[in-house]
Amino acid sequence: MSDGSSFYITTPIFYVNDVPHIGHAYTEVAADVLARWHRQAGDDTWLLTGTDEHGQKILRTATANGTTPQEWADRLVTNEWLPLLKTIDIANDDFIRTTDERHEKNVQKFLQKLYDDGFIYAGEYEALYCVGCEEFKPQSEIVDGTGEYEGQKVCAIHSKPLELLQEKNYFFRMSQFADQLLALYEERPEFVQPESARNEVVSFVRQGLSDLSISRSSFDWGIKVPWDESHVVYVWFDALLNYATAVGYGQDDENFARRWPATHIVGKDILRFHAVIWPAMLLAAGLDVPHQVYGHGWLLVGGEKMSKSKLTGIAPTQITDTFGSDAFRYYFMRAISFGQDGSFSWEDLSARYQAELANGFGNLASRVVAMVSRYFEGVVPPAGRYEDADFAVQKTVADAASAADAAIEKLAIHDALTAVWTIVDELNGYITAQEPWSLAKDETQRERLATVLYTAAEGLRALAVLLSPVIPKATLKLWVALGAEDELGGLDEQPLRTAGEWGQLPAGTTVNGLEALFPRIDADAVPGA
């Protein structure tokens, strides 16, 4: 059982310069699955997501669209980012905007503390800046332009020309934290994961850290530097603090102590900000560093990273309108090894939907409920004497539940799903081998038939609980169809870490009709077909 420990998990806060695509949704779903799992396991869980709304890129986007930065951010949040959460069934506990007063005033408190403690100083700065990244670029990410940008220096990530900026800024003494960071990575190898991400971060810091420019004076869309209002806070320094301000930093010490530190789920392209700059900021402020920073891979379409600027962005609704939100969530969590790059294709999505969801899981659920209805008048029968085949199912269920929970602890969502799916495969094979339709024709096999159908129904009970963090809609339908809600309570009340313990579905439970959990989809309806 759970010890009720705190599990605070965050997504990045997403930049409101454009609408969300499936790359953003992928991150949201991963964090949501982890949060749902821990929440249902009884842990004190909190899921934070939100939007990053300051900086030069937002100012330019708003100006180009004939509006103010605040109006632009309000429009995008209301019309695009909040609806995304409903589209893909995100059960977040909070949604923070960097234009919220709770954030802005406490960023200023944090900054003032670092200034008072001598970690911030004034200086002159000249360097190549990428507006797309909102970052002065390190030499490793500056490349020579080609084509229309030949002769210019461009950003290796955005392939757009860099701007030479020269201004008086305030600097954070990040360089003095290099040794502490290297010691952190050494003492806590789980702090940055997966291993490839950790190696990249360690290599970067070993090359030496420069002090970080943390203010801008060439534009005014941002949080004012408290001791010099001619400057605004650098957007990343502002944005990273959302993880702390959202849970009470600066205004609710009790809640901050309850929630912090966090597990951060981020795309690998923003890993350095979260695994280098952010812990250095926290060390300077005398606060605990995050529990973990996990840099997942990119979604690739046609071999390229998902990107609006490169026109490879796919809106989540393009998938959910055809396949539904459960299939969206399942596909991205199962088809891609979390932490690695993964390619999206409509063909693979369609194939997995049909083979794994519709035929594998959905058909299994429909057959079992239908046979209980047909052979036992809709009442789950008591099991008789168990045989080796029945014990094999029980062992598969127990092993799968244990393996899945262990995988979740490592954030290996794909491994957790693979473990749970062994129950689907085991039950399908079990029903094929036991042939309950044949047993039903022989009155002397009545007890055996009851044992087989109890075993199948109880296996579905475990599947409903274990899969509910990933496919909440389908599993709730199954839970109701099994009659489990009346006997055991709500699906979200079931303790997830004991889901593999056998015999929880009471004999005598009345099942209800079950429509197809994953209806057949005509090939012509698939957008990429």
Side-chain angles (χ1 to χ4, degrees), residues 315-503:
T317 51
Q318 288 179 258
I319 294 174
T320 58
D321 285 352
T322 300
F323 292 93
S325 58
D326 273 2
F328 183 103
R329 295 166 62 91
Y330 172 82
Y331 174 75
F332 286 110
M333 294 302 98
R334 182 83 196 272
I336 297 168
S337 292
F338 195 57
Q340 308 300 314
D341 290 349
S343 294
F344 167 78
S345 77
W346 291 103
E347 294 80 10
D348 188 38
L349 170 60
S350 298
R352 284 183 180 270
Y353 178 91
Q354 191 60 43
E356 297 169 21
L357 291 176
N359 293 344
F361 176 57
N363 191 42
L364 168 69
S366 297
R367 292 169 77 199
V368 173
V369 171
M371 285 189 288
V372 171
S373 297
R374 184 179 309 127
Y375 303 139
F376 288 94
E377 298 180 332
V379 177
V380 176
R385 184 178 62 84
Y386 286 126
E387 299 180 358
D388 287 348
D390 315 317
F391 287 124
V393 172
Q394 295 176 26
K395 184 177 188 306
T396 297
V397 169
D399 290 350
S402 176
D405 191 51
I408 289 291
E409 287 299 317
K410 299 175 183 175
L411 309 192
I413 303 170
H414 56 290
D415 286 342
L417 259 176
T418 298
V420 174
W421 220 254
T422 61
I423 303 174
V424 175
D425 295 338
E426 178 73 21
L427 285 175
N428 275 315
Y430 172 79
I431 290 171
T432 299
Q434 299 303 312
E435 297 184 341
W437 49 89
S438 297
L439 295 173
K441 296 174 184 176
D442 184 349
E443 193 59 35
T444 65
Q445 295 291 332
R446 188 74 177 162
E447 181 182 318
R448 180 62 195 152
L449 176 62
T451 303
V452 169
L453 289 184
Y454 180 83
T455 297
E458 169 64 358
L460 284 178
R461 188 273 316 159
L463 272 176
V465 177
L466 292 167
L467 288 174
S468 62
V470 182
I471 48 175
K473 287 183 175 176
T475 49
L476 180 57
K477 289 178 183 176
L478 174 57
W479 192 251
V480 171
L482 286 172
E485 196 160 51
D486 296 331
E487 299 289 341
L488 299 174
L491 177 56
D492 59 356
E493 299 167 17
Q494 307 309 306
L496 197 144
R497 292 193 178 110
T498 56
E501 294 179 6
W502 193 257

Side-chain angles (χ1 to χ4, degrees), residues 144-154 158-162 309:
D144 292 326
T146 58
E148 63 178 309
Y149 301 133
E150 190 167 355
Q152 300 180 63
K153 295 295 184 181
V154 302
H158 286 92
S159 303
K160 296 286 181 63
L162 299 168
S309 61

Side-chain angles (χ1 to χ4, degrees), residues 232-252:
V232 295
V233 181
Y234 169 45
V235 65
W236 269 105
F237 210 86
D238 153 8
L240 287 164
L241 278 160
N242 91 88
Y243 306 123
T245 61
V247 291
Y249 172 81
Q251 64 185 40
D252 186 344

